[in-house]
Amino acid sequence: MGLQNICQSYNKFKARKAYKMFSSKSVAVIFTVVAICFAVIEVSQAMPSIGHYGKRFDSMGGIDYIQICLNNCAQCKKMFGDYFQGQTCAESCLKFKGKAIPDCEDFPSIAPFLNALE
């Protein structure tokens, strides 16, 4: 009988210790850490869209942003002809190191290089 009482007491003690192991304070801390981790993941996923600024060449992907910018200037010049200032576009690619890549179908990106012929 003494051994059975000891086992029951030990089981009750173990159950109380397991209950106390996850207090409301520790649960709040764990929740906060998990929430911060999710926030960091969300922010890091948004960064690649602006991550190439300041780079001339992406060594991992083999992308040369200046070359892409110059190619887009040439394409826009072919599309718009005399309405597009290709030389000015190419000079801005070199000046800004490919940070602002013109897109021929996106008016705001090519607006500085358009001129009206009279």
Side-chain angles (χ1 to χ4, degrees), residues 10-100:
Y10 177 72
N11 287 338
K12 287 180 184 178
F13 172 76
K14 207 164 70 169
R16 274 186 289 188
K17 189 175 179 183
Y19 175 72
K20 288 183 179 183
M21 194 164 81
F22 293 110
S23 68
S24 62
K25 188 183 258 186
S26 64
V27 169
V29 169
I30 291 170
F31 178 75
T32 304
V33 169
V34 169
I36 290 172
C37 289
F38 280 122
V40 168
I41 289 170
E42 288 298 318
V43 169
S44 67
Q45 289 177 353
M47 292 303 283
S49 64
I50 59 172
H52 75 278
Y53 290 126
K55 291 183 181 180
R56 179 196 179 291
F57 181 76
D58 180 14
S59 60
M60 296 298 284
I63 299 171
D64 185 353
Y65 294 107
I66 295 176
Q67 186 62 44
I68 292 171
C69 186
L70 292 171
N71 287 344
N72 285 7
C73 288
Q75 181 65 32
C76 292
K77 181 65 177 174
K78 287 178 187 174
M79 287 175 66
F80 297 113
D82 292 334
Y83 293 103
F84 189 78
Q85 299 171 3
Q87 181 71 27
T88 308
C89 180
E91 288 170 358
S92 73
C93 289
L94 297 176
K95 181 179 179 183
F96 298 112
K97 298 179 181 162
K99 290 181 182 177

Side-chain angles (χ1 to χ4, degrees), residues 98-109:
K99 290 181 182 177
I101 298 175
D103 181 359
C104 302
E105 296 178 355
D106 181 33
F107 180 74
S109 72

